[in-house]
Amino acid sequence: MSAGPGRRALVTGASRGIGQAVAVALAAAGHTVAGSARTVAATAEDGVIGVPCDMDDLSAVAALPARAAEALGGPVEILVHCAGITRPARVTDIALDDWDAVMRVNVTSALRLAQGCVPAMVDAGWGRVVTIGSLYSRMGGRFAGAYAASKHALLGLTRVLALELATKGVTANVVVPGWTDTEMVRAEARSVARANGYGEDEALRRFLRGQPLGRMVTPAEVAALVTFLCGDPAASITGQAINVDGGSLQS
């Protein structure tokens, strides 16, 4: 089945950073977009329909596909899961409450959204699922035990979904940003800086040592790849983890 502009999209984490950039880019590409976060007013002026939802509340997450469908005028055809949190700590110091929260927001909410959105995609014979991973989907990082574990899990979940949907007209891929200029990255820099006794700028400089591009990736650059994966030309791309990382990981 052919799919041009005008598809119905749900983007989580849409109030800032990568999620906001993705929601705006999909709307600019002609899709009707519901943007979800605890608050999404920041994207309203860009044509994104705000459908608030706290990804830490799995009951609210389970209800989100139906609420988005109501706002969009039909079932979700494009699901982009950008929402994510991190709780930096040494592995030996990770609090179980923090571990559970990171897994709930980063992985379990993605599962619940897929369970709510994918059946309608299969029925229609067309759909796109894109999850936002991280360099920590492929590697470890100091103080990132819970976050890295969650992003590894999200990658595995998406790849399995791709295999299960390969003959149904539905693709599932992971976009893997490098160090991206978002508030989450800057907050992580501040946390690492405090733990090591140096400043935020020094933490960012150390983050970027492994990013040959020499600068942070922009949210718009990540959003451009997501938008491509949500269109017809990407119909044969599924089960992939695609880096937008300035050359950090050449795999």
Side-chain angles (χ1 to χ4, degrees), residues 107-180:
V107 186
T108 309
S109 65
L111 170 66
R112 296 297 287 138
L113 289 172
Q115 289 174 331
C117 293
V118 166
M121 297 179 188
V122 171
D123 288 344
W126 193 94
R128 297 288 186 266
V129 178
V130 180
T131 56
I132 302 300
S134 162
L135 291 179
Y136 292 155
S137 300
R138 300 180 179 273
M139 58 183 278
R142 293 180 180 178
F143 311 106
Y147 187 72
S150 74
K151 291 299 185 177
H152 275 72
L154 186 62
L155 174 58
L157 176 65
T158 306
R159 283 177 162 166
V160 171
L161 188 62
L163 289 173
E164 294 178 349
L165 299 175
T167 63
K168 308 296 185 182
V170 181
T171 66
N173 293 288
V174 181
V175 169
V176 180
W179 294 108
T180 304

Side-chain angles (χ1 to χ4, degrees), residues 171-223:
T171 66
N173 293 288
V174 181
V175 169
V176 180
W179 294 108
T180 304
D181 193 1
T182 64
E183 177 54 33
M184 177 184 284
V185 167
R186 291 184 177 275
E188 182 175 354
R190 290 191 291 272
S191 178
V192 170
R194 284 194 300 270
N196 289 277
Y198 46 70
E200 178 182 342
D201 287 345
E202 175 63 15
L204 289 171
R205 187 187 69 80
R206 295 187 182 207
F207 288 173
L208 291 173
R209 281 185 303 190
Q211 193 148 303
L213 188 64
R215 63 165 175 83
M216 285 197 280
V217 175
T218 70
E221 289 169 332
V222 181

